[in-house]
Amino acid sequence: MIKRKDSKTVEACFFGGFLLRSGEHCLSEADGRTKQLWLLLEYLLMHKEKMIGSFELQNVLWKENEIVNPSNALKNLVYRLRHLLSEAGFSQESPYILSKRGGYCWNPQIKCFSDVEEFDEWYRQGFDEQNGPEERMKALENAAELYRGDFLEGKIYEEWAVFFTEQYRRRFFECAEKLCQYYEQTGRFEQEENLCEKARRIDPFAEEMQLRFLKALAEQQKFSLAIAEYQKITELYYQELGMQPSEKFRARYREITEHVDYAKSDLITIKEDLRETLNEEGAFFCDYDAFKHIYRLEARSLERSGQSVFVCLFTLNPGPENTFSKQNRERAMSQLKEALTG
């Protein structure tokens, strides 16, 4: 069972950014202070069941030779952390941070519960085969709801946090995948759409979630929206990865377009539908799937008149390094696009 939280329990939130709560009192990184101060608090809370040695904390907080006297710096940081908690209105009946035997720990007498612990418990219940299907799905829904974003979002360069970030992201997507299967089996496509939308925000390159998202839209007959979202996905892959979506995506796109009714009541409506929303001139940009159809149409048209069709390929060469940074690739693609549009 999930532990009950009362007004005296300190609640630590790690998903989507750090937050500490106790009753009406709240403390977050938006309040300022140095990065090391928050890292110290976060690390102590994630390992609150044990005493952490000073040397271990120094390695977490500072790089080698970053400061002259890390031992004194750590003592000063602990003092400042205790003062910060007191200043924020947290109880002063007993110290939150204890120091003994050359190390530091969260005071075990102060009840503290985190969203990470709650997620772990719902995750365990969700994959426990001894529970019934409905009970497992409810547990997975609770876990997915708790996951408001990556573990300590924005701290991807903190080595100790990378393990937790990858672990909980993987577990979230395991929950999402299981839930999507359940939603499809029970015809709950709106719930699947909402869950996939959340997963897409967390990782826009999670292909399976993108495919399920498009399918959920199609199952609700939101075909126009599905096509628009496919175009966005295609553009994202081109801009960020310099590649087109996989054949699975293109196959899903073809499935969706088969259901679109393009029949219109009159010529005026058809012309309005075909008209470009923006008055753009120059080259026409589209994904590779659309290009194939345009090419085949042009080839047939020119063949009747005995003319030839030519294809020109522009390749961006990264130079001797044989690699593009994301920033350089985007700038080069933008310049190429400007050159083509003239």
Side-chain angles (χ1 to χ4, degrees), residues 2 5 11-16 21 113-123 139-150 172 198 202:
I2 304 298
K5 299 184 281 287
E11 184 182 0
C13 303
F14 290 88
F15 294 130
R21 280 195 294 250
F113 192 62
S114 71
D115 55 354
V116 167
E117 291 174 282
E118 190 170 354
F119 179 93
D120 284 338
E121 181 59 22
W122 287 126
Y123 176 86
L140 293 176
E141 286 179 331
N142 290 336
E145 185 178 354
L146 267 176
Y147 196 89
R148 292 177 293 274
D150 283 331
F172 165 74
K198 180 176 183 176
I202 293 168

Side-chain angles (χ1 to χ4, degrees), residues 19-183:
L19 182 72
L20 196 69
R21 280 195 294 250
S22 181
E24 298 178 354
H25 305 293
C26 183
L27 195 60
S28 77
E29 292 187 74
D31 298 325
R33 307 297 196 283
T34 64
K35 180 184 77 170
Q36 277 76 18
L37 197 64
W38 295 110
L39 283 176
L40 175 61
L41 178 57
E42 291 155 3
Y43 196 82
L44 289 171
L45 286 169
M46 274 302 293
H47 303 84
K48 60 186 173 66
E49 306 299 333
K50 66 175 185 177
M51 177 69 64
I52 304 171
S54 297
F55 186 69
E56 180 180 341
L57 286 172
Q58 290 166 25
N59 286 335
V60 167
L61 296 168
W62 297 285
K63 295 178 182 178
E64 188 176 359
N65 300 323
E66 184 178 349
I67 55 174
V68 177
N69 194 331
S71 179
N72 281 346
L74 177 58
K75 291 177 184 177
N76 179 263
L77 201 62
V78 171
Y79 170 80
R80 289 167 55 198
L81 177 56
R82 287 170 173 158
H83 181 71
L84 173 64
L85 291 167
S86 174
E87 194 179 55
F90 288 77
S91 173
Q92 301 180 36
E93 295 178 2
S94 55
Y96 280 70
I97 311 299
L98 301 181
S99 56
K100 53 184 177 180
R101 298 196 304 274
Y104 299 91
C105 70
W106 180 266
N107 189 342
Q109 299 302 316
I110 298 175
K111 290 191 296 181
C112 179
F113 192 62
S114 71
D115 55 354
V116 167
E117 291 174 282
E118 190 170 354
F119 179 93
D120 284 338
E121 181 59 22
W122 287 126
Y123 176 86
R124 185 194 65 78
Q125 292 185 26
F127 287 94
D128 187 347
E129 295 296 332
Q130 294 183 359
N131 295 328
E134 291 291 334
E135 187 179 353
R136 292 202 304 271
M137 291 307 109
K138 182 60 180 175
L140 293 176
E141 286 179 331
N142 290 336
E145 185 178 354
L146 267 176
Y147 196 89
R148 292 177 293 274
D150 283 331
F151 177 86
L152 291 182
E153 199 166 61
K155 296 193 174 179
I156 58 174
Y157 301 110
E158 301 301 331
E159 291 184 13
W160 72 271
V162 170
F163 169 78
F164 294 110
T165 300
E166 293 178 350
Q167 171 181 284
Y168 285 108
R169 178 182 280 209
R170 183 178 67 252
R171 288 184 177 179
F172 165 74
F173 277 98
E174 287 173 7
C175 294
E177 177 65 25
K178 205 74 174 177
L179 283 168
C180 284
Q181 293 174 12
Y182 173 70
Y183 291 151

